[in-house]
Amino acid sequence: MSTTFQLDTSTSRATPTPKPRKRLTVPRIRDHKKDGVTKEPLVMLTAYTARQAQLLDAHCDMLLVGDSLGQVIYGLDSTLPVTPEMMIAHGAAVVRGSYHSVVVVDMPFGSYEASKEQAFDTAARIMAETGCAAVKLEGGVAMAETIDFLTNRGIPVMAHVGLTPQAVNVLGGYAARGRSQQEHEKIIGDGQAVQEAGAFAVVIEGVVEPIAVALTKELEIPTIGIGASAQCDGQVLVTEDMLGMFERVPRFVKRYEDIAGMIDKTVEKYAEEVRARTFPTKDQTYQPKD
């Protein structure tokens, strides 16, 4: 039987244990939308570590190892300094920690734009060294030739149009896109181009809702919204944002919990017990007769 490796959560070590492979596939994600309609929206969240992947896997159809890890994990100002090595390290961890979701890894800025050959080299390395099912890259018409080149060489591609964070310096910030007719037409054209090039799905980020709705109705491939519309074929959020790990989040984020507040209170209690010498107790120490 084909197996994957799942971390044993009953220990503190990353002990691999075989588990039957029940992972979704890229074709199944693509075919989730039939005759232009998706009955049940696809669920996607970001993941950067094996343990995080374990916790999210059962509830998601796809896990995105996003270049947002530059900001979320490394405290960088943007995604631009993220390297392929960073994506590979975290991508491999997420694959090890999951067995159900399709794992998609972002191609970082500067690793694919120069040429379609550069894109293939980067994508092939990411897939070989992580075991992921697909890569994601930003851009529409400008990247269509590259998407076609990759997909015809066995590399599934998820596209990303609208607000593209890697182009933040050209766009002039993170404001929603599509408020002008020119932008509206560009985003629609970008979506059409990536579909024709062979992308199996497309992320639509930070656009005015009518564009997201129109593009979702027009495309045969699934659209994954983030700051777009509930009418998209699926949704994705940065997990740390929706869990409430940060005080400042984009408008399109809904906080489902206040994990940062929980951590703060828990650590405060720990610090108080350490300073009062009430931790550790006999329950957490070894005695001669144990």
Side-chain angles (χ1 to χ4, degrees):
M1 180 184 296
S2 178
T3 61
T4 186
F5 287 103
Q6 182 78 342
L7 300 189
D8 184 355
T9 58
S10 66
T11 74
S12 61
R13 302 185 300 277
T15 306
T17 56
K19 197 172 186 72
R21 184 181 294 277
K22 298 178 181 178
R23 198 181 291 276
L24 292 172
T25 64
V26 165
R28 285 191 64 183
I29 296 297
R30 168 65 180 80
D31 294 341
H32 199 78
K33 187 173 185 177
K34 295 184 180 297
D35 300 321
V37 177
T38 295
K39 292 183 178 179
E40 184 177 68
L42 294 159
V43 178
M44 188 177 196
L45 283 169
T46 61
Y48 313 115
T49 67
R51 182 56 177 153
Q52 187 180 40
Q54 284 181 306
L55 296 172
L56 303 178
D57 190 46
H59 309 287
C60 294
D61 301 298
M62 294 179 283
L63 293 176
L64 173 63
V65 186
D67 58 1
S68 50
L69 63 81
Q71 294 148 304
V72 173
I73 302 296
Y74 293 96
L76 299 170
D77 291 335
S78 72
T79 63
L80 301 186
V82 173
T83 65
E85 288 72 25
M86 293 161 70
M87 298 307 305
I88 288 169
H90 289 273
V94 170
V95 171
R96 287 195 296 270
S98 62
Y99 70 93
H100 169 259
S101 303
V102 167
V103 178
V104 182
V105 177
D106 264 340
M107 295 177 67
F109 176 73
S111 71
Y112 63 92
E113 297 92 337
S115 68
K116 56 186 185 293
E117 290 80 13
Q118 180 203 31
F120 178 81
D121 289 344
T122 301
R125 182 186 172 197
I126 288 174
M127 294 193 71
E129 296 185 30
T130 67
C132 71
V135 297
K136 182 171 77 65
L137 56 79
E138 296 183 7
V141 172
M143 297 309 302
E145 184 179 353
T146 294
I147 293 171
D148 178 75
F149 189 83
L150 295 180
T151 56
N152 279 306
R153 285 158 180 77
I155 297 177
V157 177
M158 174 178 284
H160 185 150
V161 303
L163 173 59
T164 47
Q166 292 179 5
V168 63
N169 290 321
V170 173
L171 297 176
Y174 294 98
R177 317 308 300 178
R179 298 193 186 280
S180 69
Q181 184 62 31
Q182 182 179 5
E183 277 193 343
H184 182 123
E185 293 173 358
K186 181 182 185 306
I187 294 168
I188 295 294
D190 283 341
Q192 294 169 334
V194 299
Q195 173 176 270
E196 292 172 6
F200 72 91
V202 56
V203 171
I204 305 175
E205 178 172 358
V207 303
V208 294
E209 188 171 24
I211 294 178
V213 173
L215 198 50
T216 297
K217 289 180 178 179
E218 181 167 330
L219 297 183
E220 291 296 319
I221 61 174
T223 60
I224 309 299
I226 176 168
S229 173
Q231 298 306 308
C232 289
D233 301 303
Q235 301 293 325
V236 63
L237 282 176
V238 172
T239 299
E240 284 76 2
D241 286 345
M242 58 89 73
L243 291 178
M245 289 292 287
F246 297 102
E247 294 179 3
R248 184 175 179 274
V249 295
R251 172 181 172 178
F252 55 75
V253 173
K254 177 178 178 180
R255 289 180 178 169
Y256 287 82
E257 191 50 86
D258 179 22
I259 298 299
M262 294 173 64
I263 292 173
D264 181 66
K265 291 178 181 178
T266 303
V267 176
E268 180 183 24
K269 184 177 181 181
Y270 165 73
E272 289 174 353
E273 292 187 4
V274 169
R275 290 173 180 135
R277 296 189 187 277
T278 57
F279 173 84
T281 67
K282 287 186 177 181
D283 290 338
Q284 292 91 37
T285 55
Y286 297 99
Q287 305 303 319
K289 296 183 180 181
D290 287 350

